[in-house]
Amino acid sequence: MEFTEVEIILYGAEQLCPSCVNLPSSKETYEWLEAAISRKFPKQPFKISYVDIYQPPNDPVKAEFAKRVIEEDMFYPVVLIKEKVVGEGNPRLKTIFAEMKKYGYRAK
């Protein structure tokens, strides 16, 4: 299987989502996710970005999805890989790892 470098985008906000009171913040989840993926797939490049849903970047695709997160009351952080939602609220590593394996990532 061929390897394709993926971009993982985590959409979140400073403030916790109302249904996510006892969960880590979006930023903490982003840092935890980055570390966990690096450990699971060492020496396999991936890009991970954080998008604040209330202050999205100038990228029209990311800004549009940030708007969707708010309008559709999604539980954030929302984790996307290649435009596929792989985690909402409390993302599960197992789901994210399974999606990455579809792009040729090999677990250590």
Side-chain angles (χ1 to χ4, degrees):
M1 176 192 248
E2 214 171 285
F3 175 81
T4 306
E5 184 177 342
V6 296
E7 180 180 15
I8 300 149
I9 307 170
L10 190 134
Y11 290 85
E14 288 295 312
Q15 181 182 351
L16 289 179
C17 85
S19 314
C20 311
V21 177
N22 295 319
L23 297 176
S25 73
S26 296
K27 272 281 201 225
E28 289 167 334
T29 301
Y30 167 82
E31 289 163 3
W32 164 79
L33 198 56
E34 184 174 32
I37 293 168
S38 296
R39 276 194 306 275
K40 182 77 171 180
F41 304 110
K43 296 184 177 77
Q44 295 169 73
F46 64 94
K47 208 158 106 189
I48 184 163
S49 348
Y50 176 80
V51 174
D52 186 312
I53 58 174
Y54 296 109
Q55 295 172 324
N58 286 335
D59 179 321
V61 175
K62 289 178 179 167
E64 187 58 38
F65 193 84
K67 201 168 114 185
R68 258 187 68 195
V69 173
I70 297 166
E71 288 174 353
E72 295 176 18
D73 282 331
M74 296 170 99
F75 295 126
Y76 52 84
V78 176
V79 181
L80 243 66
I81 294 179
K82 296 265 189 191
E83 293 155 28
K84 179 178 179 187
V85 175
V86 292
E88 237 188 287
N90 188 11
R92 299 183 47 78
L93 286 175
K94 195 173 173 183
T95 309
I96 293 165
F97 292 163
E99 188 64 22
M100 289 183 75
K101 286 177 183 173
K102 291 177 187 175
Y103 294 99
Y105 284 83
R106 295 274 167 257
K108 181 177 155 191

